[in-house]
């Protein structure tokens, strides 16, 4: 599904590089015009819109695995359809929280991912804030019983209750499986959902639609 969605990404990237080069040339021309105007004592010309470099495009994504919270926020901001974190070992994801400092902000961000509400991140090192119109990131993975404490211990901040817990029944006996699993129906359903047109809000920005 990701490959299909990104089939024309190479062409978009080349168009972007052309637009960025044009913006750089127009900015250099504008800066030269400003210098000439200042030397002549004239009013400097305003910077043209075409001189502003566009944001880099983001390849369409459906899922991520080993990702930092800051990178996940940037992806969520650029990909309004939402994302899915897939980790075979969920304690590995939880254990990476605030690895580089943050005082619990990574875990708080994970809790906010559940609501699909607007979310803005401001950092000193970033001139512009990361604004996510609908923070919607799902998580799927596994955890051994002995490692449940990573999720459930400590003050109840709501993270554990946001997970839909499931576990297999104990098998009464062991037998080999001779059948090949068929995921065609699931793949077709996910592919269909991923192609659904998004709604728009009153300002023309992508807006999620609700599916029963």
């Amino acid at each position: 599904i990701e490959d299909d969605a990104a089939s024309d990404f190479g062409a978009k990237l080349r168009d972007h590089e052309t637009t960025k080069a044009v913006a750089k040339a127009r900015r250099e021309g504008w800066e030269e015009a400003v210098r000439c105007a200042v030397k002549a004592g004239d009013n400097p010309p305003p910077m043209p819109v075409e001189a502003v470099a566009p944001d880099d495009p983001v390849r369409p994504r459906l899922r991520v695995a080993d990702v930092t919270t800051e990178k996940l926020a940037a992806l969520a901001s650029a990909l309004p359809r939402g994302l899915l974190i897939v980790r075979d070992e969920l304690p590995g994801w939880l254990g990476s929280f605030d690895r580089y400092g943050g005082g619990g902000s990574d875990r708080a961000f994970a809790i906010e991912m559940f609501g699909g509400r607007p979310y803005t991140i401001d950092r000193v090192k970033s001139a512009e804030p990361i604004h996510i119109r609908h923070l919607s990131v799902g998580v799927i993975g596994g955890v051994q019983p002995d490692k449940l404490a990573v999720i459930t211990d400590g003050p109840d901040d709501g993270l554990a209750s946001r997970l839909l817990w499931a576990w297999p029944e104990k098998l009464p006996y062991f037998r080999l499986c001779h059948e090949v699993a068929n995921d065609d129906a699931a793949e077709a359903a996910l592919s269909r959902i991923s192609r659904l047109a998004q709604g728009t809000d009153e300002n023309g920005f992508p807006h999620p639609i609700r599916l029963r």
Side-chain angles (χ1 to χ4, degrees), residues 3 12 22 29 39 45 71 75 78 86 99 135 137 149 153 161 187:
D3 290 341
K12 291 181 178 178
V22 170
K39 288 180 181 179
K71 181 62 177 180
L75 289 173
V86 182
R99 182 183 300 169
L135 177 56
V137 181
D153 277 10
S161 61
E187 291 179 4

Side-chain angles (χ1 to χ4, degrees), residues 43-96:
N43 292 326
M47 185 175 71
V49 177
E50 297 81 4
V52 180
D55 294 333
D56 292 337
V58 177
R59 181 183 295 273
R61 300 284 298 277
L62 205 63
R63 62 180 182 174
V64 295
D66 187 9
V67 61
T68 65
T69 296
E70 188 172 1
K71 181 62 177 180
L72 182 61
L75 289 173
S77 175
L79 301 173
R81 286 182 176 274
L83 288 164
L84 178 65
I85 296 175
V86 182
R87 293 293 297 262
D88 187 51
E89 298 284 344
L90 283 180
W93 172 60
L94 296 166
S96 68

Side-chain angles (χ1 to χ4, degrees), residues 106-181:
D106 287 352
R107 189 176 177 102
F109 183 84
I111 294 172
E112 291 282 353
M113 294 184 330
F114 183 81
R117 295 179 293 269
Y119 195 88
T120 301
I121 299 177
D122 291 285
R123 294 287 187 270
V124 173
K125 62 181 180 180
S126 300
E128 294 295 329
I130 299 176
H131 180 57
I132 308 169
R133 297 188 178 278
H134 299 279
L135 177 56
S136 179
V137 181
V139 182
I140 185 170
V143 57
Q144 293 89 354
D146 289 347
K147 293 186 177 181
L148 283 174
V150 177
I151 303 174
T152 58
D153 277 10
D156 184 8
D157 56 5
L159 179 62
S161 61
R162 282 166 167 77
L163 299 175
L164 180 62
W165 299 90
W167 55 90
E169 297 291 343
K170 183 178 180 180
L171 293 177
Y173 60 93
F174 174 80
R175 71 180 174 85
L176 293 175
C177 179
H178 297 286
E179 299 177 358
V180 178

